[in-house]
Amino acid sequence: MPQERLIRKYSNRRLYDTVGSRHVTLDDLRQLIVSGEKIKVIDDKSGEDLTRPVLLQIITEQEQFGSPVLGAELLEMIIRFYGGPMQALLSRYLEQAFTTMLRQQEAMHLEIAKALQTPLAPLTELARKNVEMWDQMQAATRDAFSGRSAEGSKTANHGDAKTKNNQQNNRRKGK
C-alpha cells in the first residue's frame, strides 16, 4: 500500500504539502490523487483528520464543472441508503465496483499499448476479459441484492463461463 502524502491545513484555510514543501490548491490535490498518490489532510492546530471533507470538497468542485459523474437521480438514490440497513452494503458494493472498473481500465490501457505494437491480436483477448469482468460484476450485483454468498456466485460464474466457452466453440465449428 502506498504511503500517504501528508497535507496540513492551516487556520487561514491554506493547504500545505509537507512532501513537496509548498502550498497547494484543491486542484493540486486532485492531480496528486489522479496520478495515484494517497493523501492525508490534517488540521495543523487540532491534529484532526480532514481527509474525507477535503475529498468531498474536491468532488463537489468537479461536479460543478463539465459533465457530472453523480447525476441528481444517483445522488437521491445514495441519500436513500443513509441510515438504512443496506448502507454498509452499498459502501462495500461501490468500493468493489470502482476497484473492478479501475482494474479494467488499467487492463484496457495495457491492451491498447500492446495493440499499437501488434495490431488486432490483443483485441480478442481484451473483449473476452471485458465480458468476463462484466459478468462477474453483474453476478456480484445479483448476489448483493439476493443475499447469495460470494462462494455461490463464483461457482455459478465458473459454470456460466464454461457454458459460454462451449457455445462459442460450437459456433466457431459451425454446430
Side-chain angles (χ1 to χ4, degrees):
M1 173 163 250
Q3 188 170 343
E4 294 175 320
R5 189 175 193 125
L6 183 61
I7 309 295
R8 294 214 172 271
K9 186 168 187 173
Y10 294 107
S11 57
N12 64 3
R13 297 170 53 177
R14 292 190 74 185
L15 298 163
Y16 186 79
D17 177 1
T18 59
V19 174
S21 300
R22 66 185 183 98
H23 284 93
V24 291
T25 64
L26 289 176
D27 193 52
D28 293 330
L29 294 182
R30 186 185 70 77
Q31 290 296 332
L32 287 171
I33 293 165
V34 167
S35 70
E37 294 267 352
K38 290 190 70 58
I39 65 166
K40 184 169 188 164
V41 182
I42 301 294
D43 183 274
D44 190 55
K45 281 192 177 181
S46 70
E48 179 184 0
D49 186 348
L50 301 174
T51 306
R52 191 170 181 284
V54 169
L55 293 175
L56 287 168
Q57 192 175 359
I58 292 169
I59 290 171
T60 300
E61 207 172 80
Q62 291 299 299
E63 286 291 305
Q64 291 176 2
F65 307 106
S67 180
V69 171
L70 305 170
E73 279 187 44
L74 178 58
L75 290 170
E76 288 172 357
M77 285 186 246
I78 292 171
I79 290 168
R80 287 184 187 107
F81 275 90
Y82 280 94
M86 301 288 278
Q87 181 176 341
L89 176 66
L90 174 67
S91 181
R92 284 192 307 271
Y93 171 76
L94 289 174
E95 190 173 326
Q96 287 175 348
F98 276 99
T99 300
T100 300
M101 288 177 65
L102 287 172
R103 285 184 187 145
Q104 188 175 18
Q105 184 179 21
E106 289 170 7
M108 191 165 30
H109 286 296
L110 288 172
E111 293 299 325
I112 288 172
K114 285 180 191 176
L116 293 174
Q117 293 171 357
T118 55
L120 301 180
L123 292 179
T124 304
E125 181 65 14
L126 176 63
R128 187 190 64 74
K129 285 181 181 178
N130 283 340
V131 168
E132 257 181 32
M133 291 174 94
W134 182 251
D135 288 343
Q136 289 171 359
M137 200 160 80
Q138 285 180 321
T141 304
R142 276 193 311 270
D143 294 346
F145 289 103
S146 69
R148 275 185 24 199
S149 72
E151 282 302 312
S153 75
K154 285 181 185 174
T155 305
N157 282 346
H158 186 66
D160 290 347
K162 278 187 173 177
T163 302
K164 284 183 184 176
N165 285 340
N166 289 339
Q167 289 172 346
Q168 288 173 346
N169 288 337
N170 289 338
R171 273 191 239 126
R172 284 188 203 122
K173 294 176 183 176
K175 292 183 178 179

